[in-house]
Amino acid sequence: MKFALIGAAGYIAPRHLKAIREVGGDLLAALDPFDAVGVLDSYFPQAAFFTQTEELEAHLEDHPVDWVSIASPNHLHEAHVRLAFRHGADALCEKPLVTEVAALERLKALEERTGRRVYTVLQLRVHPALLALKERLDRERGIKEVVLTYVTGRGPWYLKSWKGDVRKSGGLATNIGIHFFDLLAWFFGPAEHLEVHARTDTVAAGYLALARARVRWFLSIDPSFVPEPQRSQGKRTYRSIAIEGEEVEFSEGFTDLHTEVYRRTLAGKGFGLEDTWEAIRLTEAIRHKEVGGGAFRHPFLE
Ligand code: NAD
């Protein structure tokens, strides 16, 4: 399988390079306007590298690929998926695939027209502990009470970068939260009611009623929300999903999930537009919902 990679100089790009190598793929070309891409030497030293999109497109005309992997900023994903399709390739695109439902609809129409397919990276869905939990939850009945807390400390750079710009990243719930909203919808079915209790540059929180759960959720990039004693141990990340008061343990086993997503995608079992639809619909709604009261607040807001 021949690949091209868009966004090769970024933070997440090495996971794609590693995954492409581990599935036995070959990287023919890489693109990034930022040219600090020495990392390519560790994986695919022969790969052609371009800083201009036009150069990549010209190269692809003579050296077609089967797949374009996309690890660029969120607001460019749709354009980069279109680029892949134009060159007869399928696309494997980072999360969030896009930031609004209208873009999903456009890509769906494009898939139908071109016969090409786009898949996304929802790596929590291949995490062994979460797969086991999903099987258990599918067997159980009733409405679960859930408290979801995700604090992942980021320095001042975050708000200066595209990630802190809601027009580019989609904002905190989209950029940081999408994995968790996807997980919730996967576990408990579609959202029926949404409240947003806080929405700032560094915090998003609210309440969500899904078909089979009631969820108080809290997301932040401010490390001061990491609870003691973790904070006093120097931890800047805190991840907790409590279902009926029972903590879901999934702190281990994160390292090779991109490779697993690649394996599944190449085997025809990737996560496509329909799979990511609900999380994108939900995070788009969180972006626009009026911030207001509500009885079911996350404990961190008390
Ligand atoms: P980053 O800013 O470190 O990297 C993005 C790269 O894209 C940069 O090197 C930038 O120069 C490049 N870029 C900008 N404009 C471009 C263009 N027009 N063409 C090609 N490249 C361009 O960000 P990141 O953290 O690596 O995030 C990249 C993507 O991966 C985002 O969609 C993000 O949401 C996603 N991501 C996913 C996970 C995960 O857990 N699956 C984790 C982090 C990031």
Side-chain angles (χ1 to χ4, degrees):
M1 282 288 167
K2 294 176 183 161
F3 286 81
L5 173 63
I6 297 183
Y11 161 78
I12 206 71
R15 302 237 204 123
H16 288 264
L17 294 167
K18 180 166 175 273
I20 292 168
R21 192 170 65 185
E22 285 177 351
V23 298
D26 189 14
L27 186 77
L28 264 50
L31 169 72
D32 202 304
F34 186 59
D35 63 9
V37 286
V39 64
L40 290 172
D41 281 342
S42 306
Y43 294 93
F44 297 100
Q46 306 299 332
F49 173 68
F50 307 103
T51 56
Q52 305 285 328
T53 309
E54 296 84 343
E55 294 174 302
L56 173 71
E57 296 223 39
H59 188 81
L60 289 176
E61 283 179 17
D62 293 338
H63 306 85
V65 294
D66 306 293
W67 289 93
V68 175
S69 296
I70 301 168
S72 52
N74 302 348
H75 65 296
L76 300 174
H77 288 175
E78 181 184 353
H80 287 148
V81 172
R82 286 170 179 270
L83 184 159
F85 286 8
R86 266 200 310 280
H87 291 275
D90 291 329
L92 179 48
C93 182
E94 267 299 347
K95 56 70 0 193
L97 175 52
V98 286
T99 58
E100 52 186 31
V101 168
L104 287 174
E105 283 166 351
R106 289 193 293 271
L107 288 179
K108 188 173 175 197
L110 203 62
E111 277 193 338
E112 282 161 11
R113 208 161 65 231
T114 61
R116 302 261 58 99
R117 295 296 304 272
V118 54
Y119 301 93
T120 188
V121 179
L122 292 174
Q123 77 263 30
L124 291 189
R125 288 207 198 188
V126 302
H127 190 293
L130 297 173
L131 276 165
L133 177 62
K134 158 87 174 144
E135 277 180 24
R136 197 191 91 192
L137 290 168
D138 283 350
R139 288 193 302 270
E140 293 180 1
R141 296 182 154 269
I143 310 263
K144 309 281 187 195
E145 292 292 335
V146 178
V147 180
L148 167 82
T149 315
Y150 182 45
V151 181
T152 179
R154 297 285 191 274
W157 67 268
Y158 185 97
L159 293 178
K160 288 222 170 159
S161 78
W162 66 267
K163 298 186 184 199
D165 180 343
V166 69
R167 289 165 305 174
K168 294 182 174 173
S169 69
L172 206 60
T174 302
N175 196 49
I176 301 275
I178 190 106
H179 287 302
F180 294 94
F181 291 110
D182 176 68
L183 209 58
L184 291 172
W186 187 50
F187 283 166
F188 302 114
E192 293 170 354
H193 175 72
L194 168 71
E195 291 172 15
V196 176
H197 300 150
R199 189 178 56 227
T200 68
D201 282 349
T202 56
V203 171
Y207 170 72
L208 186 61
L210 301 154
R212 295 184 298 280
R214 290 196 291 243
V215 185
R216 300 158 201 245
W217 53 272
F218 181 96
L219 307 166
S220 182
I221 54 165
D222 177 351
S224 70
F225 283 108
V226 172
E228 293 288 348
Q230 286 91 340
R231 189 151 41 107
S232 54
Q233 290 168 358
K235 295 239 161 67
R236 290 170 57 80
T237 297
Y238 177 76
R239 195 166 29 213
S240 162
I241 304 176
I243 303 177
E244 297 287 318
E246 191 188 323
E247 198 61 44
V248 175
E249 180 45 59
F250 65 109
S251 45
E252 302 297 321
F254 272 96
T255 40
D256 292 322
L257 296 182
H258 271 73
T259 300
E260 186 54 28
V261 168
Y262 268 73
R263 275 203 194 99
R264 285 184 59 133
T265 305
L266 295 183
K269 293 184 287 182
F271 304 114
L273 292 170
E274 297 297 337
D275 296 297
T276 194
W277 207 282
E278 181 60 13
I280 287 173
R281 186 181 76 81
L282 193 53
T283 49
E284 182 180 8
I286 291 172
R287 196 178 315 133
H288 298 297
K289 188 94 185 172
E290 198 179 329
V291 176
F296 299 104
R297 292 166 83 80
H298 187 281
F300 282 16
L301 296 183
E302 296 302 333

